[in-house]
Amino acid sequence: MVEPIRPGERIHVIGIAGSGAAGTALLLQRAGAIVDGCDADDPSPYTPPLDAAGIPHLAGHDPAHLDGVDRVAITPAIRAVPDHWEHRAAIERGVPVATWQELLGELMDAPGRVGIGVTGTHGKSTTTALVGHLLASAGLDPTVEVGAMIPAWGASVRAGNGVPFVVEADEFGDNFLAYHPAGSIVTNVEMDHPDYFADANAVIDSFERFVRGMRGDPALGGRLLFIGAADPGARTLAARLGDWEGRIVTFGPGGHVEATDVKRSSAATAFTLFDRRWEMSLAGAHNVLNAAAALAMARELGAADDRLAEGLRTFRGAGRRMELITDTAAVTIYDDYGHHPTEVRAAIDAMRQRVGNRRLWAVFEPHMYSRTALLLDEFSTAFTDADEVVIADIFASRDSPEAMASTSAEALADAIERASGTPAIATGNVDVTTAYVAEHVGDGDAVLVMGAGKSYRIARGLADRLAGERPL
């Protein structure tokens, strides 16, 4: 068991530049710890909030970083790095080592907090951020951790003084087993992360362990689980929980909580739920599901409907989740984190809601050869509603050399053209891809960039190039 955070203890975070680690560092400082860190990818989009908070962070790794440290927090990926010398030095010196998720779980379990976990293969970040925004709008002053930058907060976390403690619970590597919330939302359950999970059954096993690890709280009448009603994997998970001591509420089509009379326009989405009309700026059918679950959880925590309605209207989304980069008469560019076929379909659907019949470019950086190879058939039909598809080089991330030989960007482009007839081309690295789209995009076109690696550079680079070439 991880020891509680002690005021004044020195905690060094290895891998501090990641979204979750950086956010947790901020919350550890808020709890009274003296925090610093290092990362091979320092700086990152998540390090400016560390600078603002006065948390030192260094590029690279060195055992000297451990001098005077009481505890080390690591990003779990470091365990997979052979002979990581700073991690190894901490173990050899007897410095306690825990993942940042374990320390975040300690903060969630602090007296006076009610833990809320938001998980699922897709939709975690947006739903977590929305729950946090709704609770803040309702005056409940939550603490929230999200695996994405939230522009309204200027960080990936919100440090509050209220009772709710909301965490995005990531299933990869069983990382979410460090959390024991009283209330949880499971958006969906689908095969992903083939570098960790052997098959879909292994994914469901992991989610089941997470749910069974929940700890009840009187504020929610014990344990409370909201779970997608129409998602096949979520239904399989629910069927396994017949002996679980908790309350299960389904949401979505056919569920206990179901939005009806949905109206979608380029500017907004409206629906009926809990006998009233709601409106939000989020687009896409998937976000109607996310909003229904978030509203239901917020109501269970005591939030009033009128305050929630205002919160839903004012929520602007999470960073890299259908994030608008530029919108002019010449071109519209959105950036999205989608990297799974289900997410690609949902993002393109949301983009169509935004831009209508304009020529739509789907620019995709596949994330990991192993995922691309396993889900190639699903990817081949995920781009049907786009007009032009551009595939950048695959971002290898944690892939082995064997996995990197299993497929290619060219194979994915070919599969898309064969399955859907949509023109698709593999263009090369992110810089070459940016140049290709900039050269070929036309006035009035819309561009949706997707990926979980370096694809954000395409979206921003494209906006910069076009701004220099056209009167945007």
Side-chain angles (χ1 to χ4, degrees):
M1 181 175 178
V2 178
E3 293 294 322
I5 309 303
R6 303 185 310 276
E9 72 170 315
R10 287 196 57 195
I11 300 177
H12 177 68
V13 183
I14 303 177
I16 198 170
S19 60
T24 299
L26 294 168
L27 295 180
L28 290 170
Q29 183 193 62
R30 170 72 179 273
I34 301 170
V35 184
D36 63 20
C38 61
D39 200 301
D41 292 327
D42 187 279
S44 79
Y46 304 100
T47 53
L50 301 177
D51 297 331
I55 296 177
H57 52 96
L58 300 169
H61 301 294
D62 191 325
H65 298 165
L66 304 173
D67 294 344
V69 167
D70 297 309
R71 182 165 15 180
V72 169
I74 63 170
T75 186
I78 286 174
R79 289 174 171 164
V81 177
D83 202 30
H84 188 287
W85 63 333
E86 188 173 342
H87 182 211
R88 183 188 66 198
I91 295 171
E92 291 174 348
R93 294 185 191 185
V95 180
V97 177
T99 66
W100 65 258
Q101 289 93 340
E102 289 171 322
L103 296 187
L104 183 61
E106 260 318 302
L107 295 175
M108 176 193 278
D109 289 341
R113 298 289 197 177
V114 174
I116 304 297
V118 180
T119 189
T121 309
H122 321 293
K124 294 184 291 289
S125 295
T126 295
T127 307
T128 306
L130 179 54
V131 170
H133 180 81
L134 291 172
L135 294 174
S137 298
L140 298 181
D141 196 17
T143 295
V144 192
E145 181 274 335
V146 187
M149 183 65 70
I150 308 302
W153 305 341
S156 59
V157 295
R158 181 191 190 276
N161 294 311
V163 169
F165 197 114
V166 187
V167 165
E168 177 179 343
D170 181 17
E171 78 278 12
F172 174 70
D174 290 333
N175 290 330
F176 59 1
L177 300 185
Y179 311 135
H180 305 283
S184 291
I185 296 172
V186 176
T187 56
N188 40 61
V189 181
E190 193 172 3
M191 178 60 194
D192 198 8
H193 306 298
D195 55 319
Y196 183 79
F197 294 115
D199 51 32
N201 193 60
V203 176
I204 295 173
D205 286 344
S206 183
F207 277 92
E208 182 179 0
R209 288 195 295 275
F210 170 75
V211 173
R212 291 190 181 278
M214 292 171 62
R215 296 172 184 162
D217 191 285
L220 292 174
R223 299 174 182 85
L224 172 61
L225 174 65
F226 285 97
I227 192 165
D231 178 72
R235 289 200 304 268
T236 299
L237 173 62
R240 293 188 179 190
L241 299 173
D243 62 339
W244 182 64
E245 294 183 0
R247 182 160 49 112
I248 298 177
V249 179
T250 57
F251 67 91
H256 302 109
V257 176
E258 180 179 3
T260 59
D261 192 21
V262 179
K263 304 294 184 185
R264 298 167 58 187
S265 71
S266 61
T269 302
F271 55 87
T272 298
L273 184 67
F274 306 127
D275 297 321
R276 69 175 294 156
R277 200 72 179 153
W278 306 83
E279 184 175 292
M280 62 182 181
S281 63
L282 298 180
H286 64 296
N287 276 322
V288 176
L289 298 175
N290 295 338
L295 287 166
M297 180 63 80
R299 293 173 97 242
E300 289 282 348
L301 289 164
D305 281 357
D306 287 346
R307 303 285 292 273
L308 291 178
E310 177 63 19
L312 187 63
R313 278 194 298 270
T314 57
F315 181 65
R316 294 295 176 260
R320 301 212 59 221
R321 274 64 178 177
M322 284 298 296
E323 180 181 357
L324 178 63
I325 303 302
T326 188
D327 186 14
T328 71
V331 68
T332 298
I333 302 171
Y334 278 83
D335 183 28
D336 193 80
Y337 192 71
H339 53 282
H340 184 283
T342 299
E343 295 163 356
V344 168
R345 288 189 190 92
I348 292 175
D349 170 70
M351 192 71 173
R352 276 296 178 203
Q353 179 178 341
R354 290 281 189 234
V355 304
N357 293 324
R358 293 166 64 179
R359 187 164 72 142
L360 173 57
W361 292 74
V363 183
F364 182 56
E365 180 195 39
H367 190 261
M368 302 190 67
Y369 289 81
S370 54
R371 177 186 284 113
T372 306
L374 177 70
L375 303 176
L376 189 66
D377 288 346
E378 290 88 343
F379 273 122
S380 72
T381 59
F383 295 83
T384 303
D385 287 339
D387 297 301
E388 303 280 350
V389 177
V390 177
I391 306 296
D393 287 344
I394 298 173
F395 186 82
S397 188
R398 304 175 297 270
D399 276 319
S400 66
E402 293 77 16
M404 293 176 67
S406 64
T407 191
S408 65
E410 290 79 8
L412 176 55
D414 289 345
I416 291 168
E417 281 205 348
R418 288 197 309 270
S420 65
T422 304
I425 184 172
T427 46
N429 64 36
V430 293
D431 295 326
V432 173
T433 299
T434 302
Y436 175 87
V437 178
E439 182 179 347
H440 291 85
V441 71
D443 285 350
D445 289 357
V447 181
L448 171 61
V449 179
M450 295 172 284
K454 302 296 184 181
S455 58
Y456 65 90
R457 289 170 45 188
I458 301 173
R460 284 160 174 74
L462 181 60
D464 291 342
R465 288 178 68 110
L466 295 179
E469 297 170 6
R470 306 180 187 192
L472 298 181

